[in-house]
Amino acid sequence: GQNIDQPTEMTATEGAIVQINCTYQTSGFNGLFWYQQHAGEAPTFLSYNVLDGLEEKGRFSSFLSRSKGYSYLLLKELQMKDSASYLCAVMDSNYQLIWGAGTKLIIKP
Amino acid sequence: DGGITQSPKYLFRKEGQNVTLSCEQNLNHDAMYWYRQDPGQGLRLIYYSQIVNDFQKGDIAEGYSVSREKKESFPLTVTSAQKNPTAFYLCASRPGLAGDPYNEQFFGPGTRLTVL
């Protein structure tokens, strides 16, 4: 079966750095997406990785290792507004997105 | 401004009633999707459509129906056959057809359906 694993919840301090991991087992791979979702709102796109390596976009970076079926989202200089759920999704061989359950990130002052 | 609209944001229905959730986009996207989100779970695909007048079942299509008569519109009907319809429903769209993985999905604001 297809499976995406992420930690359920993480806590970090304002101004610090946090890494949210995602491991996957899917039928085929056409890229990995990270989305941010605030409570009660729609997910918004953060990043897309299809090749191994690190993609940096401001305070957010995303890393992919296809051989290990592993990705992480790195958030630097955490702000209170970063409190949200972070969703990992993999596009499979049928070009459908398989979603993880999301990681709820709690930022403390 | 281009975007995806879903209405209403909150919807209450009695058990046994059918209800239709609207989804409209003016982004000129070919593909549209309906997801269901329950607490502690990932998004689950209900139906998707890659082109007008064509749609495919997702992983949890039982108890739901859709239509795609216009490129801009992809309404979802939750029927009385759906055993546990209370959930947060998200509509999404993306440009291009399925064989173009580089385009992300854009989401509407969602409709929270509560069946009493």
Side-chain angles (χ1 to χ4, degrees), chain A residues 60-78:
Chain A
F60 293 6
S61 303
S62 56
F63 172 83
L64 175 67
S65 168
R66 289 173 295 172
S67 63
K68 295 182 179 179
Y70 167 70
S71 173
Y72 68 72
L73 180 69
L74 191 71
L75 291 73
K76 302 176 184 177
E77 302 169 13
L78 286 170

Side-chain angles (χ1 to χ4, degrees), chain B residues 67-79:
Chain B
S67 63
R68 186 87 186 274
E69 297 177 0
K70 298 186 298 182
K71 189 175 185 178
E72 305 79 27
S73 179
F74 192 41
L76 173 75
T77 296
V78 184
T79 75

Side-chain angles (χ1 to χ4, degrees), chain A residues 30 35 37 42 48 95-96 99-100, chain B residues 35 37 42 48 98 101-102 105 108:
Chain A
N30 280 301
Y35 280 79
Q37 185 178 27
Y48 171 72
Y95 298 99
Q96 297 305 323
W99 294 82
Chain B
Y35 291 97
Q37 188 175 35
Y48 65 99
Y102 300 100
Q105 291 185 9

Side-chain angles (χ1 to χ4, degrees), chain A residues 30-31 33 35 37 40-45 48 50 87 91 94-102, chain B residues 9 33 35 37 40-43 45 48 88 90 94 98-99 101-105 107-109 112:
Chain A
N30 280 301
F33 294 80
Y35 280 79
Q37 185 178 27
E41 298 182 8
T44 54
F45 170 77
Y48 171 72
V50 66
L87 312 179
M91 183 167 281
N94 294 320
Y95 298 99
Q96 297 305 323
L97 283 178
I98 310 301
W99 294 82
Chain B
K9 190 164 179 65
Y33 306 81
Y35 291 97
Q37 188 175 35
Q41 296 191 37
L43 277 64
L45 183 64
Y48 65 99
F88 188 46
L90 286 160
R94 65 189 289 264
Y102 300 100
N103 293 311
E104 72 270 22
Q105 291 185 9
F107 285 84
R112 189 167 296 280

Side-chain angles (χ1 to χ4, degrees), chain B residues 2-14:
Chain B
I4 304 175
T5 58
Q6 291 184 244
S7 61
K9 190 164 179 65
Y10 298 96
L11 189 57
F12 296 88
R13 279 295 181 268
K14 291 183 178 180

Side-chain angles (χ1 to χ4, degrees), chain A residues 1-92:
Chain A
Q2 307 203 92
N3 196 49
I4 311 280
D5 285 319
Q6 317 177 223
T8 302
E9 187 174 296
M10 299 182 70
T11 302
T13 304
E14 190 177 14
I17 299 172
V18 70
Q19 177 175 312
I20 302 174
N21 296 326
C22 171
T23 58
Y24 63 89
Q25 289 180 307
T26 57
S27 55
F29 180 84
N30 280 301
L32 186 145
F33 294 80
W34 283 97
Y35 280 79
Q36 180 190 60
Q37 185 178 27
H38 286 97
E41 298 182 8
T44 54
F45 170 77
L46 289 177
S47 67
Y48 171 72
N49 294 68
V50 66
L51 300 176
D52 290 352
L54 188 68
E55 294 280 342
E56 296 186 81
K57 192 183 291 186
R59 294 189 298 115
F60 293 6
S61 303
S62 56
F63 172 83
L64 175 67
S65 168
R66 289 173 295 172
S67 63
K68 295 182 179 179
Y70 167 70
S71 173
Y72 68 72
L73 180 69
L74 191 71
L75 291 73
K76 302 176 184 177
E77 302 169 13
L78 286 170
Q79 302 175 11
M80 297 304 293
K81 68 179 182 179
D82 297 329
S83 292
S85 289
Y86 291 86
L87 312 179
C88 173
V90 172
M91 183 167 281
D92 68 10

Side-chain angles (χ1 to χ4, degrees), chain B residues 38-79:
Chain B
D38 294 284
Q41 296 191 37
L43 277 64
R44 291 186 289 168
L45 183 64
I46 304 173
Y47 269 97
Y48 65 99
S49 169
Q50 298 176 10
I51 199 167
V52 175
N53 292 322
D54 185 57
F55 48 83
Q56 308 294 329
K57 291 182 179 181
D59 299 322
I60 56 166
E62 185 175 351
Y64 300 96
S65 65
V66 293
S67 63
R68 186 87 186 274
E69 297 177 0
K70 298 186 298 182
K71 189 175 185 178
E72 305 79 27
S73 179
F74 192 41
L76 173 75
T77 296
V78 184
T79 75

